[in-house]
Amino acid sequence: MFTIEFISHVKDGEFIELTIGGIEVLMGPTVSISHSTAINSEGRKEEYRKTYAYMLRATKAGEFTISEAGVDIDGEKYFSKPHTITVVAKTDLDM
């Protein structure tokens, strides 16, 4: 099993889900949101973070591509890059 997360620092964007061939989605996307405000002598700073997380499991050994995910912000779409992962067969040493 493994987890993949996509993080956006934009408050109002709409998430565009990814596709994953050959990998089972056990859970997700789950969404967590954090917002912080810091005020000091230099002024006020706000930070917004939205995380979309998936818990995944490969059903067999091989190479798999996790497609891009994206966010739509007022009609403008932004995407991550696709990632290829290699899953190896379980050995007797794995627990």
Side-chain angles (χ1 to χ4, degrees), residues 7-66:
I7 300 168
S8 171
H9 294 279
V10 178
K11 190 174 187 177
D12 296 324
E14 182 176 329
F15 184 62
I16 302 167
E17 289 193 44
L18 67 156
T19 57
I20 307 168
I23 296 179
E24 181 180 7
V25 177
L26 300 175
M27 184 175 68
T30 58
V31 180
S32 66
I33 298 171
S34 67
H35 181 237
S36 64
T37 303
I39 301 172
N40 59 28
S41 61
E42 297 175 9
R44 175 182 171 143
K45 180 181 177 186
E46 292 194 57
E47 181 176 289
Y48 184 85
R49 180 179 171 130
K50 188 184 280 189
T51 304
Y52 302 88
Y54 291 84
M55 185 178 294
L56 307 168
R57 178 176 60 193
T59 56
K60 60 183 178 180
E63 279 199 358
F64 302 93
T65 299
I66 298 170

Side-chain angles (χ1 to χ4, degrees), residues 62-76:
E63 279 199 358
F64 302 93
T65 299
I66 298 170
S67 75
E68 67 269 351
V71 64
D72 184 328
I73 305 167
D74 296 328
E76 292 285 330

Side-chain angles (χ1 to χ4, degrees), residues 74-86:
D74 296 328
E76 292 285 330
K77 293 180 172 76
Y78 303 90
F79 292 94
S80 63
K81 294 180 181 177
H83 293 278
T84 300
I85 62 169
T86 302

